[in-house]
Structure formats: structure tokens, C-alpha cells
Amino acid sequence: MKMGKGIPLNDQTSLMPRLDGSKDRIPWLCNLHDILLRDVASGQHVVLACSALKKMYRDILIRGKDGAPLKCDESGKEEKLAEVKLLVVHLSGSFEVISGRLLKRKGHFMPPELLQSQFDTLEPPSAPENFIQISVDKNLSEIIATIMETVK
């Protein structure tokens, strides 16, 4: 709703519920992590499309709340949290190309005015993250073929 009104999400407001009871990015990412865990545990192959623009957001998708790799059990021993094996597909493109495509969208929640804030926030994936980078200049069938070849 915020983005639809032209208000970018930010980490300060997303770390806790707002006064009106709505929540921003962090709780949403934690919910996505839980859904990924559930679906993968049930044997499903899962594709999740979202703009996890920062490494911290991708860490939450993999490890859950706080992106913390370890937790302590009752005895004080550290135990590994449930992780999702995640391949990040980073679709890269220039501001001009993506802006042009965004302007052609009809009925999308994100107004074009927020695109610059998305580029400003972006932390492209890097080693040791599990990722591939694909140019949006490729056609859709090439993008799909590259992804499918990678996940084989």
C-alpha cells in the first residue's frame, strides 16, 4: 500500500509494526522464508519472485528473522536454524531500460517515481551468495533457458 502511494519502504519503518498495525518489509520477508521452508520441506520446487534488493533481505529469505545463522537451544548449545537453499536470479538492466518498461505497465502497484529509490537501495548479489546475473536485454526465452540450465 505504501509503495502504491509513492512511499518507498525503508529499514527504519520496516523493523517494527507501524502505529496503524500494518507492517513493512522485514515481517513480509520472514513470512516468505517460512513459506519457502514449508513448501521445500513438502517436496515442492519453488520459484519466488520478489525484489530482495539488499543482501540482508536475501539473508532473511535464506535464514529467517535477522538472517542469523545460529540460535541457542535450552541448554545453551548453538544449533543451526533451518535454511532455504536459494538461487538468486539477478535481472540486471540500466535505469533507462527498466524505466521504459515500467512506464508501459498498466495497473502495477509501484509507481515509476519509486524506481530511482529501488536503484539507490540495490546491493547486487556477490560472492559468496549463490546467484546468477542475467541482462534484461535478453528476450524472455533466453532468460528462462539460462535459469533452467543453471538449476539442472
Side-chain angles (χ1 to χ4, degrees):
M1 288 191 317
K2 283 179 71 175
M3 292 182 78
K5 293 177 182 175
I7 303 167
L9 303 179
N10 63 56
D11 294 336
Q12 286 70 44
T13 59
S14 64
L15 292 174
M16 62 184 89
R18 293 197 346 238
L19 293 176
D20 63 2
S22 63
K23 298 176 181 176
D24 280 347
R25 187 182 291 118
I26 303 301
W28 174 71
L29 290 167
C30 289
N31 285 338
L32 291 176
H33 165 78
D34 293 344
I35 291 166
L36 289 170
L37 275 180
R38 180 196 68 210
D39 290 353
V40 169
S42 72
Q44 296 182 55
H45 297 280
V46 181
V47 175
L48 168 68
C50 76
S51 57
L53 298 172
K54 291 185 176 183
K55 183 178 183 318
M56 177 182 84
Y57 307 155
R58 297 185 294 272
D59 287 346
I60 292 170
L61 289 173
I62 294 167
R63 296 184 191 94
K65 190 174 183 331
D66 302 325
L70 298 174
K71 70 176 184 178
C72 293
D73 63 15
E74 299 80 37
S75 67
K77 287 185 183 175
E78 287 185 343
E79 60 184 52
K80 197 170 179 96
L81 290 174
E83 288 190 10
V84 173
K85 183 177 180 186
L86 184 70
L87 170 68
V88 173
V89 177
H90 176 65
L91 298 173
S92 62
S94 71
F95 181 88
E96 293 73 25
V97 167
I98 294 173
S99 177
R101 292 180 184 182
L102 185 57
L103 289 170
K104 292 178 186 174
R105 285 183 176 175
K106 300 292 180 229
H108 194 269
F109 71 91
M110 190 183 101
E113 298 78 30
L114 286 182
L115 183 59
Q116 186 60 56
S117 73
Q118 299 285 288
F119 270 79
D120 293 344
T121 301
L122 178 63
E123 296 173 3
S126 60
E129 290 181 271
N130 184 27
F131 76 99
I132 59 172
Q133 180 170 309
I134 305 172
S135 171
V136 297
D137 294 327
K138 293 185 177 206
N139 66 46
L140 184 57
S141 61
E142 291 176 300
I143 291 172
I144 292 169
T146 301
I147 295 168
M148 295 306 292
E149 185 61 34
T150 302
V151 297
K152 280 185 180 177

